[in-house]
Amino acid sequence: MSTATTPRGFLGNLPAEVTSFVGRRAEVTLVRRMLSSSRLVTLTGAGGVGKTRLALRVGAEMRRAFPDGVWLVELAELRDPDLLAVAVAEALGIREQAVGPGAPGLAEFLTDQRILLILDNCEQLVAACAELTETLLRTCPELRVLATSRHALRLAGEATLSVQPLSVPDPEATCTVAELDRYESASLLVERATAADPGFAVTDDNCATIARLCQALEGVPLAIELAAARLRVLSLEQLLDRLTDRFRLLTSGTRDAPARQQTLRALIDWSWDLCAPAERALWSRLSVFSGGLELDSAEEVCADDELPAESILDLIASLVDKSVLTRAGDGHRARYRMLEVVREYGALRLAEAGEQRAVTERHCRWFAELAAYSDRHWVSPDQAALMLRLRQEKANLRVALEYAVTTGPAERALRFAADLENHWFVRGFLSEGRHWLDRALAMPAPRHWTRVKALRVAAWIATVQDDRDRAQALLADARELAGQLPRSVELAYIPLVEGNIALFSGDHATALPLFERALGLFREVRGRSGQMWTLAVLGLTRGLAGSPADGYADLIACRDMGAASGEVWWRSFALWALSVLRWRAGDDPGASTAAKESLEVQRFVAGEQFTVGLALESLAWIAGSEGRDQRAAQLLGASDRMWRAMHTSLSSFRSLKEFHEECATAVRGRLGRRAFEAAVRRGAEWTAAEAVTAALEQPGRVPVPRSDPPAGADFGLTRREREVAALIAEGLTNREIAARLVVAQRTAEGHVENILSKLGFTSRAQVAGWLAAQQPGPGS
């Protein structure tokens, strides 16, 4: 047997382009570790996500470990499985006469070679690639194989890594210039934009646009490359505006790229061609979903005579294998996602098939039924799971509601928007709920209880948002229509909402009989959710109208009813109300205990804002009563941030507003204006999770001292460290501090680390707040 035509130690045939590589440091390290323990590693993922470039980078970094070379075998253009071994031999530079035909001859040739073989784009020849790889690994003990494919080769001992898109800026947060390079997608976009336009630079003015572009392109490297090429002729803003038609816009790849990677459409055409007819049908139908889906949704929305429901699971598994779908998260229920570009492609195919209207109708019907089921089972052990499901389906709910309010019937649109009442309140989506209810109510009005329900839910939202006139008008319409219809549980909700309007106005005398009437009606029809709501506000009203203890019995009844039924949210509300009344009675320890128990809702209903905001507020009042002024001010800031996120404020609830102002005035007077405002800002900077951790006084990301630091203490800071602390308070980064002080950046970082250590802080915001507290202000 002849030997290789190239000398031992040759470093293979990797292209020079691997020297240009953005991000993926963690993935490179992981793949190298995987190759050290597994002889076959397969990188899977959607087209354009960067599997090939990652494989090439790993190969380049591991050249020293493979004295006989790291060899790339490009299979994207190969269609005939019988030519696979030939293609590998050609990539290795082996003369045809040097090996026997097929896999056995190639295996014999490579028997004593220490080689890393990169098989790129195995998906269209996956069976042949698996067979050849199995043969080579069995007979070549020093061989390692790194494969890229839309799906795994499924061989024994294979290790797989699903390659995800590059990290993108959080759409919920403001991204600064200094922070932008933390995100791999932004780094790639900036690098490619600079190549396309040498005058390109990141500035405060374009930073937000770059972040939005990365979000719109979903961190997909190919999409970013194609988009950046357009910057030769478009501005960033124009590029962002035109991304609504990605397949037309992103058509300018480099000439030396494979044909399928020169346009986004061609790349996804490639994936489509690899799918069987049933897989294509499901792909196109799944495009009606937004933000992901679960198996039961797919079975309801996508199944018909062509695709029976019992076939959907296997088809989803196939689309996951082909990286059309990815499984997201690690919750109790599997959830699947499509990249937006893949979903848009499926939507085009669905329209071509003439199925868009029918599938979209089924999508709307399914999510309207989910909303109705959640409303019916609100008071049950399933409450937390249902709230989580609705939160996860937020994007699908929006799509379905849009269809409902634009196509009708009006009765479905009204019921759909109103059945989500708990979703609007628990999540703090008050303005969104009002938006959909207003649109549904504007449709031709059926004389039906669904309209009464929509009117009273809209009235309740308007009450919380301090739009009292609108609330009264909506409730008057509901009352008038209810008088013309047969008896329903909705009759009990009308005095309940009317009582809430009075309660929020501070008119306790008017609210009390309305709540008592509502409670009697709910008990007649055994409406458990209405009973719990009524008990919670009735107890609070009784305690505010007279002695605080007058409300305890109703609130405890509500709490116990929730505990017995597995309900979480109204139980949490009742505990918050109990904390307010105990605080008013002078029982600070009891009030604190009730408020902290109320906060436990966030363990069951992630993302809950309404009662969490209330509990933070009452804990602030309690801290103010105890003289823990820094804590009080911080919690006031955290609570205020939640109200602003819900597009409302405590001003809509007169009694709470008065308690808030009393607390703020007292704490401001003791701390001084500047220190108070600094502490409030610090609390407002907390995330919801950090705020809850601080409120519960548990170890976490935000330490809450049991006593406030003495105003004049310097905690051993040197003169230079105090100077650096002042620059931190100005919002300067370590790099900017180094430039200001004319020192090395590492020196500046050392000063910041020392300051945090000496003060016992974990964030720069805490340093800024502490420094502000050292400055005397009016009233101090």
Side-chain angles (χ1 to χ4, degrees), residues 157-177:
E158 178 184 26
T160 61
L161 175 66
S162 177
V163 181
Q164 300 301 312
L166 299 174
S167 58
V168 300
D170 183 353
E172 302 291 329
T174 301
C175 187
T176 66
V177 173

Side-chain angles (χ1 to χ4, degrees), residues 426-439:
V426 169
R427 298 299 178 196
F429 302 149
L430 301 179
S431 293
E432 181 171 353
R434 188 170 183 172
H435 165 82
W436 294 116
L437 286 161
D438 285 349
R439 291 185 64 182

